[in-house]
Amino acid sequence: MAGNRTFTIIKPNAVGNRNIGDICAMIEKAGFRIVAMKMTYLSRNDAEKFYHVHRGKFFFRNLYLFMTSGPIVVMVLEKENAVEDYRTLIGKTNPELAEEGTIRKLYAQSKTRNAVHASDSDENAAWEASFFFNDKEIMDADYCLPLPEDEIDSD
Ligand code: ADP
């Protein structure tokens, strides 16, 4: 693996607002390689499982209702220091406190509708990635590199 992995979700508000392309562009320009990606949705059952650590918190109901309200895009990202660097790129949970130029500052509408999810540790990144992807769906970053020129016919 070329670096560490983190896991992210483009949340229903950002998908609905047509921000998928801009968010992916920010991710790639920041040096991450997208090694797994799909559009899907969370059932209420799956949302409860995925967010089990937040069960009982005052925002839990809002969070899982919102996260099941529309399509999401899930991705595994690879880069040195992926978890920490991606959290820097997205900014604080509350978009009012998020730093200028961060994904949440640009695309979040509120603490619930805060555009993206990000893993908070390597261990959680691995668990979250496996929640949505099987091993074959996560590419080896080296494999994503372009094929050698001499294997492609020139046209
Ligand atoms: P983060 O997504 O920044 O890692 P947490 O793991 O603490 O934040 O919370 C998970 C999600 O729950 C947040 O992204 C946000 O959508 C929601 N959330 C967290 N704290 C609050 C809050 N105080 N009010 C409303 N929603 C919240």
Side-chain angles (χ1 to χ4, degrees), residues 55-67:
R55 197 170 289 173
K57 295 186 184 163
F58 73 94
F59 59 80
F60 180 73
R61 185 168 183 277
N62 248 357
L63 177 63
Y64 94 83
L65 289 177
F66 165 62
M67 289 303 293

Side-chain angles (χ1 to χ4, degrees), residues 11 54 58-59 63 87 93 104 111-112 114 118:
K11 295 187 177 184
H54 296 304
F58 73 94
F59 59 80
L63 177 63
R87 292 204 66 93
T93 309
R104 281 172 166 166
K111 282 178 268 183
T112 301
N114 63 355

Side-chain angles (χ1 to χ4, degrees), residues 97-152:
L97 305 176
E99 302 73 5
E100 290 299 325
T102 58
I103 292 175
R104 281 172 166 166
K105 185 71 180 182
L106 289 164
Y107 301 113
Q109 280 79 52
S110 67
K111 282 178 268 183
T112 301
R113 293 170 179 76
N114 63 355
V116 284
H117 165 87
S119 307
D120 60 6
S121 68
D122 288 356
E123 194 186 11
N124 284 342
W127 181 81
E128 291 170 359
S130 70
F131 193 91
F132 290 95
F133 296 103
N134 64 41
D135 288 347
K136 276 175 73 175
E137 292 172 316
I138 303 176
M139 304 302 123
D140 183 329
D142 298 329
Y143 182 78
C144 297
L145 294 172
L147 285 168
E149 287 282 323
D150 59 6
E151 287 182 29
I152 304 172

Side-chain angles (χ1 to χ4, degrees), residues 8-135:
T8 187
I9 302 176
I10 301 179
K11 295 187 177 184
N13 64 311
V15 172
N17 290 332
R18 306 177 199 184
N19 300 138
I20 296 171
D22 289 338
I23 291 172
C24 288
M26 285 182 72
I27 288 170
E28 291 193 316
K29 282 179 184 152
F32 295 87
R33 194 175 285 279
I34 298 168
V35 293
M37 180 181 215
K38 70 181 155 199
M39 183 178 277
T40 183
Y41 62 91
L42 275 173
S43 65
R44 287 200 181 169
N45 229 348
D46 280 346
E48 290 206 20
K49 279 187 207 148
F50 186 78
Y51 283 116
H52 70 276
V53 292
H54 296 304
R55 197 170 289 173
K57 295 186 184 163
F58 73 94
F59 59 80
F60 180 73
R61 185 168 183 277
N62 248 357
L63 177 63
Y64 94 83
L65 289 177
F66 165 62
M67 289 303 293
T68 58
S69 68
I72 57 173
V73 173
V74 292
M75 290 184 272
V76 180
L77 311 176
E78 205 164 292
K79 184 184 181 295
E80 293 298 332
N81 206 31
V83 168
E84 198 183 331
D85 287 1
Y86 188 59
R87 292 204 66 93
T88 303
L89 181 66
I90 69 169
K92 295 215 168 70
T93 309
N94 180 349
E96 285 175 16
L97 305 176
E99 302 73 5
E100 290 299 325
T102 58
I103 292 175
R104 281 172 166 166
K105 185 71 180 182
L106 289 164
Y107 301 113
Q109 280 79 52
S110 67
K111 282 178 268 183
T112 301
R113 293 170 179 76
N114 63 355
V116 284
H117 165 87
S119 307
D120 60 6
S121 68
D122 288 356
E123 194 186 11
N124 284 342
W127 181 81
E128 291 170 359
S130 70
F131 193 91
F132 290 95
F133 296 103
N134 64 41
D135 288 347

